[in-house]
Amino acid sequence: MRLAKVLGQVVSTIKGPGLERFTLLLVQEAAADDPERDGGPTLVAVDTVGAGVGEIVLVVTGGAARVAAGADVPTDLAVVGIADTVVRSGTVSYQKT
């Protein structure tokens, strides 16, 4: 699993089979030392938990993403959790407000 920040949504009125039931989110991998800071590429993920813009989320890739979304969904990135708190080396580096 990785941490990412939700930047927005991707609206697609025509989706492949299995994707119709999901919202697509624009996410950016978070920096390891500060989850609210940009850390990586911007990607599109299938949202399985109802995450919103600005939230720090847990994402999975590959086979784990397909399992999270359902085996029939053609995805390689899925949001599977919303972070409340991130603690690194005993220090809180993120706290959901």
Side-chain angles (χ1 to χ4, degrees):
M1 282 189 275
R2 297 177 182 170
L3 288 173
K5 185 173 184 175
V6 178
L7 302 178
Q9 288 186 347
V10 175
V11 177
S12 175
T13 55
I14 300 173
K15 298 178 186 177
L19 288 173
E20 311 91 357
R21 64 185 186 267
F22 292 104
T23 298
L24 301 176
L25 295 178
L26 193 64
V27 300
Q28 184 171 38
E29 192 170 331
D33 59 338
D34 180 1
E36 292 191 280
R37 188 169 52 89
D38 298 347
T42 301
L43 304 165
V44 177
V46 169
D47 183 15
T48 69
V49 296
V53 174
E55 290 188 296
I56 302 299
V57 295
L58 299 168
V59 295
V60 292
T61 60
R66 285 183 288 284
V67 168
D72 63 331
V73 178
T75 187
D76 62 355
L77 188 65
V79 175
V80 296
I82 300 170
D84 294 317
T85 305
V86 176
V87 179
R88 181 174 179 200
S89 301
T91 302
V92 175
S93 61
Y94 169 78
Q95 180 73 47
K96 185 176 179 178
T97 55

